[in-house]
Amino acid sequence: MPTEPYIQPKHTPNEAPILCIVGPTGAGKTHLAMSLAEYAKSIGLSIELISMDSALVYRGLDIGSAKPTKAEQAAVIHHLIDIIEPTEVYSAARFAKDAKRLCTEIRERGNIPVVVGGTMLYWRAWAYGLSSLPPANPEIRASLDEKGKLIGWPAMHDKLAKIDPETAARLKPNDSQRVQRALEVFEITGKPMSALLADSPSEDGREDSTIPPWINLVSLEPSDRKRLHLNLEKRFDEMLSAGFIDEVKTLRANTGLHADLPAIRSVGYRQAWEFLNGQIDADQMRYKALAATRQLGKRQLTWLRAIEGRKTFDPFNPEELKAALNYCKENFSR
């Protein structure tokens, strides 16, 4: 559905910056946010959490997305969780609009908004805005989908390289979503995406790296990568024990779902889908899911380290984790 371009909010001097807790997957963002909410409650204030996570928006993606538990959601108001079906698509631009609206509404009812998550494309859209690329065109997108299935996405990537070599050079041949978007933009406008993005903050990440004055960014960045990987491995095995494969089996019963949808491309779900398709065995599924999770964490850290002015804390250092909570206590406000 076409949407209006997102406009970056302007900071009002008498408003305190909005606290935003970020970090790679498995860094303990939810735990820190819940601890802060508990503290706020103890002093008579109410925090409402706004999820900045591309998997948590989908209903039915619970175990594999490490969605906050029912108890956690009952203890603290959570937003942007379970808001759409996995057959639908939720964009960064929509998140930016929803987050901006929710921050305003939460403050208007006397509560405190805190944004929590690690989907850095959502962060970029919310913090910096997006360029005015044309909205999606369902007919063109469907046509490109058909061609992609017929000749394969590497061949579609080759087509993109001929009309927009700059964009093609930064995309992987099998990145169907982004290759499709770049081809779609060219078909709609007659211009390469790289040319349209050249002079403005945009979907390709060329935004100002300085944090806007209306956001206070707290970043949990583990120093011990090996320990993080072991934690992620343990978490995935716990997901398997909790019934993750059965969860994906239930999703597969929905005939509207397929492997090219963003929900099913989520880390873990893509690999479980391949396993249930008989494309890989259980050991390969686990190996590929863990590798994809590690790669996601690496990308998130790369994003974060490019942002100037963030407050960083090592969640694996007890003193720093305590300092992170104290900093949040001192810096959350209406």
Side-chain angles (χ1 to χ4, degrees):
M1 181 181 293
T3 58
E4 297 178 4
Y6 168 66
I7 305 300
Q8 178 176 334
K10 294 182 178 179
H11 178 59
T12 303
N14 63 354
E15 283 185 340
I18 296 165
L19 187 65
C20 180
I21 300 172
V22 295
T25 182
K29 299 179 292 293
T30 297
H31 177 74
L32 177 59
M34 293 299 294
S35 297
L36 180 62
E38 186 177 345
Y39 166 76
K41 186 176 181 180
S42 72
I43 60 173
L45 298 175
S46 293
I47 280 178
E48 298 186 32
L49 302 180
I50 300 171
S51 168
M52 190 171 68
D53 188 296
S54 61
L56 300 192
V57 297
Y58 296 110
R59 301 185 190 105
L61 274 67
D62 300 327
I63 299 171
S65 68
K67 191 171 288 181
T69 65
K70 297 299 182 184
E72 287 171 331
Q73 293 186 54
V76 182
I77 296 174
H78 287 67
H79 298 277
L80 304 186
I81 292 179
D82 291 337
I83 59 172
I84 62 172
E85 295 299 325
T87 50
E88 301 175 79
V89 175
Y90 190 79
S91 68
R94 182 174 168 186
F95 169 81
K97 290 181 181 180
D98 286 348
K100 178 187 175 185
R101 170 183 54 80
L102 286 164
C103 286
T104 299
E105 292 173 356
I106 291 167
R107 280 179 158 168
E108 285 177 348
R109 53 179 169 260
N111 293 339
I112 301 164
V114 176
V115 178
V116 185
T119 299
M120 300 312 295
L121 182 60
Y122 286 10
W123 154 262
R124 179 167 62 195
W126 179 54
Y128 307 112
L130 292 172
S131 66
S132 54
L133 290 175
N137 182 301
E139 291 77 19
I140 291 176
R141 188 160 286 194
S143 174
L144 290 169
D145 238 4
E146 289 287 329
K147 291 177 185 175
K149 290 176 181 176
L150 182 65
I151 67 174
W153 286 103
M156 296 292 278
H157 184 270
D158 290 341
K159 289 179 178 291
L160 177 63
K162 294 175 182 177
I163 59 174
D164 188 356
E166 183 178 339
T167 299
R170 64 180 177 80
L171 299 181
K172 294 180 179 179
N174 283 314
D175 191 344
S176 58
Q177 184 178 15
R178 291 180 175 84
V179 170
Q180 179 195 60
R181 176 58 174 158
L183 289 168
E184 176 190 41
V185 167
F186 183 80
E187 288 202 25
I188 293 171
T189 66
K191 298 179 181 179
M193 178 185 278
S194 56
L196 295 173
L197 298 178
D199 299 319
S200 63
S202 64
E203 291 177 0
D204 75 344
R206 299 179 189 170
E207 73 286 332
D208 184 351
S209 62
T210 303
I211 301 168
W214 48 275
I215 298 176
N216 188 353
L217 190 67
V218 172
S219 182
L220 299 180
E221 300 178 18
S223 60
D224 188 340
R225 193 72 61 86
K226 184 176 180 180
R227 179 176 169 185
L228 176 62
H229 291 170
L230 288 172
N231 286 356
L232 292 173
E233 184 174 344
K234 179 183 176 184
R235 186 177 73 172
F236 187 71
D237 287 339
E238 289 173 348
M239 289 176 179
L240 291 174
S241 297
F244 175 47
I245 298 302
D246 287 336
E247 178 176 278
V248 181
K249 286 180 180 177
T250 300
L251 290 170
R252 285 167 61 85
N254 183 341
T255 56
L257 280 177
H258 54 81
D260 292 327
L261 285 168
I264 306 306
R265 287 201 301 267
S266 299
V267 170
Y269 288 91
R270 179 200 294 264
Q271 293 76 26
W273 196 273
E274 291 176 353
F275 165 65
L276 291 172
N277 271 350
Q279 296 168 267
I280 55 177
D281 62 29
D283 289 339
Q284 290 172 316
M285 182 267 298
R286 182 179 181 275
Y287 175 83
K288 291 180 70 174
L290 290 172
T293 304
R294 289 193 293 268
Q295 290 166 4
L296 171 62
K298 184 178 180 180
R299 290 196 302 271
Q300 290 168 317
L301 282 170
T302 299
W303 271 99
L304 291 167
R305 287 167 180 164
I307 302 173
E308 299 173 8
R310 72 197 189 283
K311 304 296 182 184
T312 63
F313 301 91
D314 182 356
F316 293 163
N317 182 320
E319 291 304 313
E320 286 207 28
L321 188 57
K322 182 179 178 181
L325 179 57
N326 287 336
Y327 179 86
C328 291
K329 289 178 180 179
E330 294 167 2
N331 288 277
F332 75 96
S333 175
R334 294 190 183 90

